Amino acid sequence: MPDPEMCPSRVMVASAAAVLVVLMVLPGWLRTSLLTLAFLWLFIQGLDRLLGHLAGWAIARTPKAFRWTIDRVKVRPALAWWAENAWSEVIVTGWVWHNPEGFDDEGREEGFILKIDKLTLRLEILSIVRAIRHREAVNVDLLLVEGLHFRTQRNQASLNLWEALNLPDDDVNVSAIVQHAKRHGGLQDQSGSSASPANPNGAAASSASAQPSGFGSFGRRLVSFVRSGGRGGAAGPRSA
């Protein structure tokens, strides 16, 4: 019984041999035309891949230094591209906006911020020239996105999207409050600290004594602010 892994290779060899035999029996003019079309097709395929690599390389040299990889960029100009409303197509396939450094998980595939399987843009090429020379709008007839995948990921520092765009992360949550408190000397766990002195002021004194001795002045101010309902008043004694 033939090996299944050998079947594709045998089929390819048989197909290549059949194509050579057919080319040999064809007339010369027809054989030349077919070979010309084949080389033209291979050239276009290589050019599409080259444009994709050049686009990724160029965007990495910008000040933002985006990590983009593009499989193919297909440019299909209209026959009469200089005419008005002559629509040409630009097709981008395999566009991946990769994560910045420090966001990829070990043992998993490389993360990404944005992935687009196929993007089709139908526009008027002459309008691009007018936009560059006279600052006019680019005339676009169609913008079609297929297979859009958007993914956000957070590490200990920031969000991958803000990191890639070099923007500050303004997300304020519990962890951010805790980090700011620790930065100002509060919320530190200190073992072996002495107990708080007794205070005869009732419930406020008991609540204050229940706080860790390393809570810090910033932590006490934060607690008093929350207890006062955000009005800026202090519910208990404030340290100088």
Side-chain angles (χ1 to χ4, degrees):
M1 188 173 183
D3 189 0
E5 297 182 356
M6 296 296 295
C7 291
S9 60
R10 292 179 179 178
V11 170
M12 292 180 61
V13 172
S15 301
V19 170
L20 290 176
V21 171
V22 171
L23 289 177
M24 294 299 296
V25 299
L26 288 177
W29 65 270
L30 184 56
R31 182 168 60 250
T32 303
S33 301
L34 291 177
L35 289 176
T36 303
L37 291 176
F39 281 116
L40 181 61
W41 180 81
L42 291 175
F43 173 76
I44 293 175
Q45 296 297 318
L47 182 61
D48 294 343
R49 290 186 177 274
L50 179 61
L51 290 177
H53 290 299
L54 287 177
W57 174 83
I59 199 66
R61 298 303 186 274
T62 60
K64 293 291 185 179
F66 296 130
R67 298 178 60 192
W68 288 3
T69 57
I70 300 176
D71 186 20
R72 297 171 184 267
V73 177
K74 304 177 182 179
V75 180
R76 303 294 181 261
L79 295 178
W81 58 269
W82 58 88
E84 187 177 359
N85 293 332
W87 304 114
S88 304
E89 283 190 352
V90 178
I91 302 174
V92 179
T93 58
W95 179 11
V96 181
W97 185 2
H98 298 276
N99 269 338
E101 296 182 359
F103 285 89
D104 296 333
D105 298 333
E106 296 182 359
R108 298 177 57 184
E109 62 178 356
E110 187 176 5
F112 61 88
I113 301 173
L114 182 67
K115 180 187 291 186
I116 297 178
D117 296 339
K118 184 178 181 180
L119 185 145
T120 303
L121 181 64
R122 187 184 302 159
L123 49 79
E124 183 184 349
I125 293 182
L126 196 60
S127 66
I128 301 177
V129 180
R130 292 196 298 265
I132 296 174
R133 297 183 60 182
H134 307 291
R135 297 184 178 181
E136 297 181 2
V138 178
N139 196 3
V140 178
D141 180 60
L142 174 68
L143 176 61
L144 178 62
V145 178
E146 303 177 46
L148 175 63
H149 310 272
F150 180 72
R151 177 186 177 189
T152 57
Q153 182 181 352
R154 179 178 292 278
N155 63 0
Q156 297 180 356
S158 62
L159 196 71
N160 59 348
L161 179 60
W162 306 141
E163 187 73 19
L165 294 174
N166 196 19
L167 295 176
D169 190 358
D170 297 331
D171 184 19
V172 180
N173 48 26
V174 176
S175 62
I177 295 176
V178 172
Q179 289 178 3
H180 284 292
K182 290 182 178 180
R183 190 178 304 162
H184 289 80
L187 301 179
Q188 299 290 338
D189 295 332
Q190 297 179 0
S191 58
S193 58
S194 59
S196 301
N199 194 324
N201 292 333
S206 62
S207 299
S209 62
Q211 299 169 358
S213 60
F215 195 72
S217 61
F218 180 83
R220 287 193 294 271
R221 292 178 184 178
L222 179 63
V223 171
S224 63
F225 179 79
V226 173
R227 287 175 180 171
S228 62
R231 294 186 297 273
R238 296 176 61 180
S239 60

